[in-house]
Amino acid sequence: NAGVTQTPKFQVLKTGQSMTLQCAQDMNHEYMSWYRQDPGMGLRLIHYSVGAGITDQGEVPNGYNVSRSTTEDFPLRLLSAAPSQTSVYFCASSNRAAAFFGQGTRLTVV
Amino acid sequence: GESVGLHLPTLSVQEGDNSIINCAYSNSASDYFIWYKQESGKGPQFIIDIRSNMDKRQGQRVTVLLNKTVKHLSLQIAATQPGDSAVYFCAETTHGSSNTGKLIFGQGTTLQVKP
């Protein structure tokens, strides 16, 4: 049972480049979400989804897009990367209970 | 806005002692609280949760206490081991019909276990 799988684990982007962070879960969870974690800080919610076809903004959505075409997948897109988006990104899924997290994607924007 | 905060950024304990990590929350509408453990380079790992209709819940070597009157949450770890060294986060959410899976995290407490 893989749980929540994120790819890639590490990524370096140049300012202005775009990319997609992948997230997949195999637990048939309704809820999926993306968080970012900056040094010395807790996790902040970027976007979340309560089911396929439904997404909404979290606390820090600017610069990111999401879609939820299937229950399993919840990709996060950076449209035009900025140095301020250098962070560790975590995807999580839950089913009306505690969320389970992936191992994270460490993104550096230069 | 709502926030969940921790009282101490770093807690250092001797191996074998009990650890108590504290958390204060401000959203009185939150009805579900979770403690996560995060080891270096890894994602947060679920430890234990508690609903607002309870004031105490026990797991294996861990106990969570909830005081809704003062909006305080604590995590107690019995007989702390070196493997318990990590950053601990409390998180709050609304678990009822309005549940969206959104979590509000505190800043985290680093637990250091001295051998």
Side-chain angles (χ1 to χ4, degrees):
Chain A
N1 190 342
V4 179
T5 303
Q6 290 183 238
T7 55
K9 288 186 169 52
F10 301 94
Q11 183 70 49
V12 179
L13 288 178
K14 293 182 179 179
T15 297
Q17 286 185 315
S18 62
M19 79 158 295
T20 300
L21 279 63
Q22 301 292 343
C23 176
Q25 54 98 1
D26 60 2
M27 298 173 282
N28 201 31
H29 284 170
E30 294 178 77
Y31 308 115
M32 296 187 74
S33 48
W34 277 101
Y35 296 83
R36 62 176 288 174
Q37 184 175 33
D38 298 301
M41 297 183 68
L43 285 77
R44 293 183 293 170
L45 182 65
I46 304 172
H47 284 286
Y48 66 99
S49 170
V50 300
I54 306 169
T55 64
D56 207 343
Q57 296 181 348
E59 180 186 355
V60 288
N62 292 340
Y64 308 96
N65 276 356
V66 292
S67 60
R68 184 98 180 268
S69 56
T70 66
T71 300
E72 295 78 19
D73 300 298
F74 191 44
L76 178 72
R77 281 182 287 277
L78 280 71
L79 306 175
S80 178
S84 62
Q85 294 179 303
T86 294
S87 189
V88 181
Y89 292 83
F90 290 100
C91 178
S93 75
S94 66
N95 208 16
R96 296 185 178 275
F100 294 90
F101 287 81
Q103 291 299 297
T105 295
R106 185 174 294 273
L107 176 68
T108 302
V109 183
V110 298
Chain B
E2 300 97 1
S3 66
V4 178
L6 290 164
H7 291 179
L8 292 174
T10 303
L11 176 66
S12 185
V13 300
Q14 204 70 37
E15 181 179 356
D17 287 351
N18 296 334
S19 303
I20 299 176
I21 301 172
N22 294 306
C23 177
Y25 67 94
S26 59
N27 184 4
S28 54
S30 293
D31 60 5
Y32 183 54
F33 305 88
I34 310 159
W35 281 101
Y36 287 94
K37 172 186 180 183
Q38 187 177 26
E39 296 173 291
S40 181
K42 296 185 178 180
Q45 178 184 6
F46 171 85
I47 302 174
I48 192 167
D49 57 2
I50 188 167
R51 300 188 186 193
S52 59
N53 61 353
M54 305 170 68
D55 53 20
K56 179 179 180 180
R57 190 166 189 218
Q58 289 184 294
Q60 188 176 10
R61 280 203 308 119
V62 294
T63 301
V64 55
L65 299 178
L66 176 63
N67 185 331
K68 295 181 289 293
T69 302
V70 296
K71 297 179 186 169
H72 184 268
L73 194 67
S74 69
L75 176 70
Q76 300 178 359
I77 304 173
T80 311
Q81 302 168 0
D84 295 326
S85 294
V87 179
Y88 290 81
F89 292 97
C90 60
E92 62 176 307
T93 189
T94 304
H95 191 252
S97 59
S98 59
N99 182 25
T100 59
K102 295 165 60 177
L103 295 170
I104 300 173
F105 282 84
Q107 296 299 305
T109 292
T110 299
L111 178 64
Q112 298 174 340
V113 182
K114 297 178 288 187

mmCIF file of all heavy atoms in Angstrom, chain A residues 1-45:
data_model
loop_
_atom_site.group_PDB
_atom_site.id
_atom_site.type_symbol
_atom_site.label_atom_id
_atom_site.label_comp_id
_atom_site.label_asym_id
_atom_site.label_seq_id
_atom_site.Cartn_x
_atom_site.Cartn_y
_atom_site.Cartn_z
ATOM 1 N N ASN A 1 0.855 -1.193 0.000
ATOM 2 C CA ASN A 1 0.000 0.000 0.000
ATOM 3 C C ASN A 1 0.883 1.232 0.000
ATOM 4 O O ASN A 1 1.570 1.509 0.960
ATOM 5 C CB ASN A 1 -0.898 -0.009 1.238
ATOM 6 C CG ASN A 1 -1.957 1.061 1.137
ATOM 7 O OD1 ASN A 1 -1.844 1.995 0.357
ATOM 8 N ND2 ASN A 1 -2.995 0.932 1.936
ATOM 9 N N ALA A 2 0.877 2.003 -1.100
ATOM 10 C CA ALA A 2 1.815 3.111 -1.245
ATOM 11 C C ALA A 2 1.376 4.315 -0.431
ATOM 12 O O ALA A 2 2.196 5.116 -0.041
ATOM 13 C CB ALA A 2 1.963 3.485 -2.706
ATOM 14 N N GLY A 3 0.064 4.527 -0.206
ATOM 15 C CA GLY A 3 -0.385 5.709 0.522
ATOM 16 C C GLY A 3 -0.424 6.905 -0.400
ATOM 17 O O GLY A 3 -1.091 6.898 -1.421
ATOM 18 N N VAL A 4 0.327 7.962 -0.027
ATOM 19 C CA VAL A 4 0.397 9.182 -0.825
ATOM 20 C C VAL A 4 1.779 9.247 -1.467
ATOM 21 O O VAL A 4 2.788 9.210 -0.757
ATOM 22 C CB VAL A 4 0.149 10.429 0.042
ATOM 23 C CG1 VAL A 4 0.247 11.686 -0.820
ATOM 24 C CG2 VAL A 4 -1.207 10.336 0.735
ATOM 25 N N THR A 5 1.807 9.344 -2.784
ATOM 26 C CA THR A 5 3.064 9.359 -3.523
ATOM 27 C C THR A 5 3.234 10.682 -4.234
ATOM 28 O O THR A 5 2.356 11.112 -4.984
ATOM 29 C CB THR A 5 3.103 8.225 -4.556
ATOM 30 O OG1 THR A 5 2.904 6.977 -3.890
ATOM 31 C CG2 THR A 5 4.442 8.197 -5.281
ATOM 32 N N GLN A 6 4.375 11.322 -3.980
ATOM 33 C CA GLN A 6 4.691 12.589 -4.624
ATOM 34 C C GLN A 6 5.900 12.427 -5.529
ATOM 35 O O GLN A 6 6.874 11.769 -5.157
ATOM 36 C CB GLN A 6 5.019 13.657 -3.575
ATOM 37 C CG GLN A 6 3.848 14.124 -2.755
ATOM 38 C CD GLN A 6 4.255 15.230 -1.810
ATOM 39 O OE1 GLN A 6 4.098 15.131 -0.599
ATOM 40 N NE2 GLN A 6 4.769 16.323 -2.366
ATOM 41 N N THR A 7 5.832 13.064 -6.685
ATOM 42 C CA THR A 7 6.999 13.120 -7.571
ATOM 43 C C THR A 7 7.078 14.513 -8.191
ATOM 44 O O THR A 7 6.045 15.153 -8.436
ATOM 45 C CB THR A 7 6.897 12.074 -8.701
ATOM 46 O OG1 THR A 7 5.660 12.253 -9.402
ATOM 47 C CG2 THR A 7 6.981 10.665 -8.165
ATOM 48 N N PRO A 8 8.303 15.018 -8.457
ATOM 49 C CA PRO A 8 9.585 14.430 -8.067
ATOM 50 C C PRO A 8 9.888 14.707 -6.599
ATOM 51 O O PRO A 8 9.145 15.425 -5.936
ATOM 52 C CB PRO A 8 10.560 15.181 -8.974
ATOM 53 C CG PRO A 8 9.950 16.538 -9.110
ATOM 54 C CD PRO A 8 8.464 16.306 -9.162
ATOM 55 N N LYS A 9 10.963 14.165 -6.082
ATOM 56 C CA LYS A 9 11.391 14.439 -4.709
ATOM 57 C C LYS A 9 12.172 15.737 -4.626
ATOM 58 O O LYS A 9 12.129 16.443 -3.614
ATOM 59 C CB LYS A 9 12.240 13.292 -4.172
ATOM 60 C CG LYS A 9 11.445 12.028 -3.879
ATOM 61 C CD LYS A 9 12.294 10.984 -3.218
ATOM 62 C CE LYS A 9 11.449 9.827 -2.687
ATOM 63 N NZ LYS A 9 10.538 9.252 -3.685
ATOM 64 N N PHE A 10 12.905 16.040 -5.674
ATOM 65 C CA PHE A 10 13.696 17.266 -5.727
ATOM 66 C C PHE A 10 13.531 17.905 -7.111
ATOM 67 O O PHE A 10 13.392 17.187 -8.106
ATOM 68 C CB PHE A 10 15.189 16.981 -5.495
ATOM 69 C CG PHE A 10 15.492 16.336 -4.187
ATOM 70 C CD1 PHE A 10 15.592 14.955 -4.097
ATOM 71 C CD2 PHE A 10 15.678 17.105 -3.055
ATOM 72 C CE1 PHE A 10 15.868 14.342 -2.880
ATOM 73 C CE2 PHE A 10 15.959 16.500 -1.829
ATOM 74 C CZ PHE A 10 16.053 15.125 -1.751
ATOM 75 N N GLN A 11 13.555 19.229 -7.141
ATOM 76 C CA GLN A 11 13.452 19.932 -8.415
ATOM 77 C C GLN A 11 14.083 21.307 -8.293
ATOM 78 O O GLN A 11 13.882 21.998 -7.294
ATOM 79 C CB GLN A 11 11.989 20.082 -8.828
ATOM 80 C CG GLN A 11 11.768 20.745 -10.183
ATOM 81 C CD GLN A 11 12.197 19.859 -11.332
ATOM 82 O OE1 GLN A 11 11.837 18.688 -11.410
ATOM 83 N NE2 GLN A 11 12.976 20.423 -12.242
ATOM 84 N N VAL A 12 14.853 21.677 -9.311
ATOM 85 C CA VAL A 12 15.398 23.026 -9.408
ATOM 86 C C VAL A 12 14.815 23.660 -10.663
ATOM 87 O O VAL A 12 14.877 23.075 -11.749
ATOM 88 C CB VAL A 12 16.937 23.026 -9.473
ATOM 89 C CG1 VAL A 12 17.451 24.453 -9.599
ATOM 90 C CG2 VAL A 12 17.528 22.356 -8.230
ATOM 91 N N LEU A 13 14.253 24.836 -10.500
ATOM 92 C CA LEU A 13 13.661 25.567 -11.619
ATOM 93 C C LEU A 13 14.321 26.923 -11.759
ATOM 94 O O LEU A 13 14.785 27.501 -10.769
ATOM 95 C CB LEU A 13 12.166 25.794 -11.397
ATOM 96 C CG LEU A 13 11.210 24.624 -11.504
ATOM 97 C CD1 LEU A 13 9.798 25.097 -11.188
ATOM 98 C CD2 LEU A 13 11.269 23.985 -12.874
ATOM 99 N N LYS A 14 14.292 27.435 -12.971
ATOM 100 C CA LYS A 14 14.698 28.811 -13.186
ATOM 101 C C LYS A 14 13.463 29.699 -13.073
ATOM 102 O O LYS A 14 12.336 29.273 -13.372
ATOM 103 C CB LYS A 14 15.340 28.973 -14.551
ATOM 104 C CG LYS A 14 16.670 28.243 -14.695
ATOM 105 C CD LYS A 14 17.275 28.497 -16.066
ATOM 106 C CE LYS A 14 18.619 27.783 -16.181
ATOM 107 N NZ LYS A 14 19.231 27.982 -17.523
ATOM 108 N N THR A 15 13.677 30.912 -12.633
ATOM 109 C CA THR A 15 12.576 31.865 -12.533
ATOM 110 C C THR A 15 11.839 31.947 -13.865
ATOM 111 O O THR A 15 12.459 32.097 -14.924
ATOM 112 C CB THR A 15 13.105 33.250 -12.128
ATOM 113 O OG1 THR A 15 13.702 33.160 -10.835
ATOM 114 C CG2 THR A 15 11.984 34.266 -12.089
ATOM 115 N N GLY A 16 10.515 31.847 -13.785
ATOM 116 C CA GLY A 16 9.698 31.938 -14.983
ATOM 117 C C GLY A 16 9.315 30.610 -15.595
ATOM 118 O O GLY A 16 8.378 30.539 -16.402
ATOM 119 N N GLN A 17 10.021 29.547 -15.211
ATOM 120 C CA GLN A 17 9.660 28.234 -15.726
ATOM 121 C C GLN A 17 8.383 27.738 -15.078
ATOM 122 O O GLN A 17 8.007 28.169 -13.981
ATOM 123 C CB GLN A 17 10.785 27.225 -15.468
ATOM 124 C CG GLN A 17 11.991 27.398 -16.363
ATOM 125 C CD GLN A 17 13.028 26.312 -16.154
ATOM 126 O OE1 GLN A 17 13.356 25.951 -15.025
ATOM 127 N NE2 GLN A 17 13.550 25.777 -17.260
ATOM 128 N N SER A 18 7.738 26.816 -15.760
ATOM 129 C CA SER A 18 6.541 26.188 -15.199
ATOM 130 C C SER A 18 6.820 24.714 -14.960
ATOM 131 O O SER A 18 7.710 24.133 -15.583
ATOM 132 C CB SER A 18 5.357 26.341 -16.157
ATOM 133 O OG SER A 18 5.631 25.683 -17.381
ATOM 134 N N MET A 19 6.078 24.141 -14.040
ATOM 135 C CA MET A 19 6.189 22.708 -13.815
ATOM 136 C C MET A 19 4.983 22.214 -13.036
ATOM 137 O O MET A 19 4.225 23.012 -12.476
ATOM 138 C CB MET A 19 7.461 22.349 -13.054
ATOM 139 C CG MET A 19 7.414 22.572 -11.569
ATOM 140 S SD MET A 19 8.626 21.587 -10.674
ATOM 141 C CE MET A 19 8.054 19.927 -10.975
ATOM 142 N N THR A 20 4.828 20.915 -13.016
ATOM 143 C CA THR A 20 3.738 20.281 -12.280
ATOM 144 C C THR A 20 4.295 19.312 -11.265
ATOM 145 O O THR A 20 5.116 18.449 -11.606
ATOM 146 C CB THR A 20 2.792 19.534 -13.246
ATOM 147 O OG1 THR A 20 2.243 20.461 -14.184
ATOM 148 C CG2 THR A 20 1.665 18.860 -12.466
ATOM 149 N N LEU A 21 3.863 19.469 -10.030
ATOM 150 C CA LEU A 21 4.182 18.520 -8.963
ATOM 151 C C LEU A 21 3.051 17.490 -8.925
ATOM 152 O O LEU A 21 1.874 17.846 -8.850
ATOM 153 C CB LEU A 21 4.280 19.220 -7.610
ATOM 154 C CG LEU A 21 5.579 19.948 -7.265
ATOM 155 C CD1 LEU A 21 5.832 21.104 -8.226
ATOM 156 C CD2 LEU A 21 5.519 20.460 -5.840
ATOM 157 N N GLN A 22 3.447 16.230 -8.962
ATOM 158 C CA GLN A 22 2.455 15.168 -9.014
ATOM 159 C C GLN A 22 2.148 14.626 -7.616
ATOM 160 O O GLN A 22 3.031 14.555 -6.760
ATOM 161 C CB GLN A 22 2.943 14.026 -9.910
ATOM 162 C CG GLN A 22 3.246 14.426 -11.341
ATOM 163 C CD GLN A 22 2.003 14.816 -12.129
ATOM 164 O OE1 GLN A 22 0.866 14.508 -11.742
ATOM 165 N NE2 GLN A 22 2.203 15.515 -13.247
ATOM 166 N N CYS A 23 0.893 14.257 -7.428
ATOM 167 C CA CYS A 23 0.463 13.624 -6.178
ATOM 168 C C CYS A 23 -0.580 12.571 -6.498
ATOM 169 O O CYS A 23 -1.549 12.857 -7.223
ATOM 170 C CB CYS A 23 -0.110 14.651 -5.213
ATOM 171 S SG CYS A 23 -0.758 13.916 -3.689
ATOM 172 N N ALA A 24 -0.382 11.387 -5.977
ATOM 173 C CA ALA A 24 -1.344 10.304 -6.180
ATOM 174 C C ALA A 24 -1.553 9.570 -4.865
ATOM 175 O O ALA A 24 -0.614 9.370 -4.103
ATOM 176 C CB ALA A 24 -0.838 9.340 -7.246
ATOM 177 N N GLN A 25 -2.813 9.172 -4.618
ATOM 178 C CA GLN A 25 -3.115 8.385 -3.415
ATOM 179 C C GLN A 25 -3.940 7.162 -3.822
ATOM 180 O O GLN A 25 -4.752 7.224 -4.746
ATOM 181 C CB GLN A 25 -3.849 9.238 -2.359
ATOM 182 C CG GLN A 25 -5.096 9.941 -2.852
ATOM 183 C CD GLN A 25 -6.390 9.232 -2.532
ATOM 184 O OE1 GLN A 25 -6.408 8.176 -1.903
ATOM 185 N NE2 GLN A 25 -7.498 9.825 -2.963
ATOM 186 N N ASP A 26 -3.699 6.084 -3.102
ATOM 187 C CA ASP A 26 -4.362 4.824 -3.434
ATOM 188 C C ASP A 26 -5.288 4.360 -2.311
ATOM 189 O O ASP A 26 -5.574 3.174 -2.183
ATOM 190 C CB ASP A 26 -3.332 3.748 -3.769
ATOM 191 C CG ASP A 26 -2.384 3.454 -2.624
ATOM 192 O OD1 ASP A 26 -2.536 4.062 -1.533
ATOM 193 O OD2 ASP A 26 -1.487 2.613 -2.801
ATOM 194 N N MET A 27 -5.743 5.306 -1.489
ATOM 195 C CA MET A 27 -6.591 4.970 -0.345
ATOM 196 C C MET A 27 -8.063 5.327 -0.586
ATOM 197 O O MET A 27 -8.883 5.241 0.337
ATOM 198 C CB MET A 27 -6.061 5.708 0.896
ATOM 199 C CG MET A 27 -4.644 5.278 1.261
ATOM 200 S SD MET A 27 -3.908 6.258 2.589
ATOM 201 C CE MET A 27 -3.433 7.729 1.690
ATOM 202 N N ASN A 28 -8.383 5.767 -1.801
ATOM 203 C CA ASN A 28 -9.743 6.159 -2.158
ATOM 204 C C ASN A 28 -10.279 7.270 -1.249
ATOM 205 O O ASN A 28 -11.472 7.311 -0.923
ATOM 206 C CB ASN A 28 -10.690 4.946 -2.114
ATOM 207 C CG ASN A 28 -11.939 5.179 -2.955
ATOM 208 O OD1 ASN A 28 -11.905 5.882 -3.962
ATOM 209 N ND2 ASN A 28 -13.040 4.600 -2.528
ATOM 210 N N HIS A 29 -9.382 8.166 -0.859
ATOM 211 C CA HIS A 29 -9.778 9.280 0.000
ATOM 212 C C HIS A 29 -10.491 10.361 -0.795
ATOM 213 O O HIS A 29 -10.135 10.657 -1.930
ATOM 214 C CB HIS A 29 -8.558 9.877 0.692
ATOM 215 C CG HIS A 29 -8.050 9.064 1.824
ATOM 216 N ND1 HIS A 29 -6.843 9.318 2.450
ATOM 217 C CD2 HIS A 29 -8.581 8.005 2.471
ATOM 218 C CE1 HIS A 29 -6.663 8.450 3.423
ATOM 219 N NE2 HIS A 29 -7.704 7.640 3.452
ATOM 220 N N GLU A 30 -11.486 10.972 -0.136
ATOM 221 C CA GLU A 30 -12.213 12.065 -0.783
ATOM 222 C C GLU A 30 -11.371 13.335 -0.857
ATOM 223 O O GLU A 30 -11.371 14.038 -1.850
ATOM 224 C CB GLU A 30 -13.471 12.398 0.020
ATOM 225 C CG GLU A 30 -14.523 11.319 0.063
ATOM 226 C CD GLU A 30 -15.684 11.777 0.941
ATOM 227 O OE1 GLU A 30 -16.485 12.590 0.471
ATOM 228 O OE2 GLU A 30 -15.753 11.308 2.093
ATOM 229 N N TYR A 31 -10.699 13.633 0.251
ATOM 230 C CA TYR A 31 -10.060 14.933 0.385
ATOM 231 C C TYR A 31 -8.585 14.863 0.057
ATOM 232 O O TYR A 31 -7.877 13.957 0.513
ATOM 233 C CB TYR A 31 -10.234 15.459 1.807
ATOM 234 C CG TYR A 31 -11.660 15.458 2.278
ATOM 235 C CD1 TYR A 31 -12.049 14.646 3.335
ATOM 236 C CD2 TYR A 31 -12.606 16.251 1.670
ATOM 237 C CE1 TYR A 31 -13.358 14.629 3.764
ATOM 238 C CE2 TYR A 31 -13.924 16.242 2.091
ATOM 239 C CZ TYR A 31 -14.296 15.429 3.139
ATOM 240 O OH TYR A 31 -15.595 15.410 3.562
ATOM 241 N N MET A 32 -8.140 15.841 -0.731
ATOM 242 C CA MET A 32 -6.716 15.972 -0.995
ATOM 243 C C MET A 32 -6.336 17.439 -0.890
ATOM 244 O O MET A 32 -7.167 18.322 -1.135
ATOM 245 C CB MET A 32 -6.356 15.411 -2.377
ATOM 246 C CG MET A 32 -6.602 13.911 -2.511
ATOM 247 S SD MET A 32 -6.001 13.213 -4.057
ATOM 248 C CE MET A 32 -4.218 13.203 -3.790
ATOM 249 N N SER A 33 -5.091 17.676 -0.522
ATOM 250 C CA SER A 33 -4.667 19.053 -0.318
ATOM 251 C C SER A 33 -3.166 19.191 -0.556
ATOM 252 O O SER A 33 -2.439 18.198 -0.519
ATOM 253 C CB SER A 33 -5.028 19.516 1.091
ATOM 254 O OG SER A 33 -4.625 18.568 2.057
ATOM 255 N N TRP A 34 -2.761 20.409 -0.798
ATOM 256 C CA TRP A 34 -1.356 20.748 -0.980
ATOM 257 C C TRP A 34 -0.960 21.789 0.069
ATOM 258 O O TRP A 34 -1.677 22.776 0.279
ATOM 259 C CB TRP A 34 -1.097 21.342 -2.363
ATOM 260 C CG TRP A 34 -0.911 20.319 -3.435
ATOM 261 C CD1 TRP A 34 -1.821 19.912 -4.363
ATOM 262 C CD2 TRP A 34 0.297 19.587 -3.703
ATOM 263 N NE1 TRP A 34 -1.266 18.965 -5.191
ATOM 264 C CE2 TRP A 34 0.034 18.747 -4.795
ATOM 265 C CE3 TRP A 34 1.569 19.557 -3.123
ATOM 266 C CZ2 TRP A 34 0.993 17.888 -5.335
ATOM 267 C CZ3 TRP A 34 2.515 18.701 -3.648
ATOM 268 C CH2 TRP A 34 2.223 17.879 -4.749
ATOM 269 N N TYR A 35 0.201 21.541 0.688
ATOM 270 C CA TYR A 35 0.752 22.463 1.668
ATOM 271 C C TYR A 35 2.178 22.805 1.257
ATOM 272 O O TYR A 35 2.855 22.020 0.605
ATOM 273 C CB TYR A 35 0.803 21.831 3.066
ATOM 274 C CG TYR A 35 -0.548 21.502 3.656
ATOM 275 C CD1 TYR A 35 -1.211 20.318 3.321
ATOM 276 C CD2 TYR A 35 -1.168 22.371 4.550
ATOM 277 C CE1 TYR A 35 -2.453 20.024 3.857
ATOM 278 C CE2 TYR A 35 -2.405 22.078 5.103
ATOM 279 C CZ TYR A 35 -3.042 20.902 4.741
ATOM 280 O OH TYR A 35 -4.264 20.605 5.281
ATOM 281 N N ARG A 36 2.617 23.956 1.703
ATOM 282 C CA ARG A 36 4.030 24.273 1.590
ATOM 283 C C ARG A 36 4.604 24.487 2.979
ATOM 284 O O ARG A 36 3.890 24.966 3.883
ATOM 285 C CB ARG A 36 4.281 25.491 0.703
ATOM 286 C CG ARG A 36 3.680 26.799 1.164
ATOM 287 C CD ARG A 36 4.081 27.954 0.239
ATOM 288 N NE ARG A 36 5.485 28.334 0.407
ATOM 289 C CZ ARG A 36 6.102 29.217 -0.358
ATOM 290 N NH1 ARG A 36 5.469 29.808 -1.369
ATOM 291 N NH2 ARG A 36 7.371 29.523 -0.123
ATOM 292 N N GLN A 37 5.867 24.129 3.132
ATOM 293 C CA GLN A 37 6.531 24.283 4.417
ATOM 294 C C GLN A 37 7.829 25.028 4.210
ATOM 295 O O GLN A 37 8.723 24.585 3.488
ATOM 296 C CB GLN A 37 6.810 22.922 5.059
ATOM 297 C CG GLN A 37 7.404 23.022 6.448
ATOM 298 C CD GLN A 37 7.571 21.676 7.111
ATOM 299 O OE1 GLN A 37 7.826 20.668 6.455
ATOM 300 N NE2 GLN A 37 7.389 21.627 8.427
ATOM 301 N N ASP A 38 7.927 26.152 4.875
ATOM 302 C CA ASP A 38 9.127 26.974 4.796
ATOM 303 C C ASP A 38 9.928 26.813 6.089
ATOM 304 O O ASP A 38 9.362 26.445 7.128
ATOM 305 C CB ASP A 38 8.738 28.430 4.539
ATOM 306 C CG ASP A 38 8.005 28.566 3.217
ATOM 307 O OD1 ASP A 38 8.616 28.197 2.186
ATOM 308 O OD2 ASP A 38 6.845 28.993 3.193
ATOM 309 N N PRO A 39 11.239 27.087 6.058
ATOM 310 C CA PRO A 39 12.104 26.828 7.221
ATOM 311 C C PRO A 39 11.557 27.434 8.511
ATOM 312 O O PRO A 39 11.188 28.612 8.540
ATOM 313 C CB PRO A 39 13.429 27.466 6.817
ATOM 314 C CG PRO A 39 13.432 27.397 5.333
ATOM 315 C CD PRO A 39 11.998 27.607 4.910
ATOM 316 N N GLY A 40 11.509 26.621 9.548
ATOM 317 C CA GLY A 40 11.087 27.094 10.855
ATOM 318 C C GLY A 40 9.611 27.397 10.965
ATOM 319 O O GLY A 40 9.174 28.013 11.937
ATOM 320 N N MET A 41 8.856 26.952 9.982
ATOM 321 C CA MET A 41 7.428 27.256 10.005
ATOM 322 C C MET A 41 6.609 25.981 9.879
ATOM 323 O O MET A 41 7.094 24.938 9.470
ATOM 324 C CB MET A 41 7.074 28.206 8.859
ATOM 325 C CG MET A 41 7.753 29.558 8.951
ATOM 326 S SD MET A 41 7.237 30.661 7.641
ATOM 327 C CE MET A 41 5.530 30.948 8.110
ATOM 328 N N GLY A 42 5.374 26.126 10.239
ATOM 329 C CA GLY A 42 4.441 25.030 10.031
ATOM 330 C C GLY A 42 4.017 24.952 8.579
ATOM 331 O O GLY A 42 4.535 25.660 7.722
ATOM 332 N N LEU A 43 3.078 24.085 8.302
ATOM 333 C CA LEU A 43 2.594 23.901 6.952
ATOM 334 C C LEU A 43 1.464 24.876 6.659
ATOM 335 O O LEU A 43 0.576 25.074 7.495
ATOM 336 C CB LEU A 43 2.096 22.466 6.763
ATOM 337 C CG LEU A 43 3.181 21.395 6.626
ATOM 338 C CD1 LEU A 43 3.787 21.041 7.970
ATOM 339 C CD2 LEU A 43 2.609 20.163 5.952
ATOM 340 N N ARG A 44 1.480 25.439 5.473
ATOM 341 C CA ARG A 44 0.433 26.366 5.061
ATOM 342 C C ARG A 44 -0.298 25.793 3.851
ATOM 343 O O ARG A 44 0.315 25.321 2.902
ATOM 344 C CB ARG A 44 1.015 27.739 4.732
ATOM 345 C CG ARG A 44 1.588 28.473 5.940
ATOM 346 C CD ARG A 44 2.087 29.854 5.564
ATOM 347 N NE ARG A 44 3.254 29.792 4.688
ATOM 348 C CZ ARG A 44 3.763 30.835 4.056
ATOM 349 N NH1 ARG A 44 3.172 32.027 4.169
ATOM 350 N NH2 ARG A 44 4.832 30.707 3.292
ATOM 351 N N LEU A 45 -1.611 25.886 3.881
ATOM 352 C CA LEU A 45 -2.458 25.289 2.865
ATOM 353 C C LEU A 45 -2.455 26.126 1.591
ATOM 354 O O LEU A 45 -2.714 27.334 1.629
ATOM 355 C CB LEU A 45 -3.880 25.143 3.406
ATOM 356 C CG LEU A 45 -4.894 24.496 2.499
ATOM 357 C CD1 LEU A 45 -4.538 23.040 2.230
ATOM 358 C CD2 LEU A 45 -6.286 24.595 3.123
#
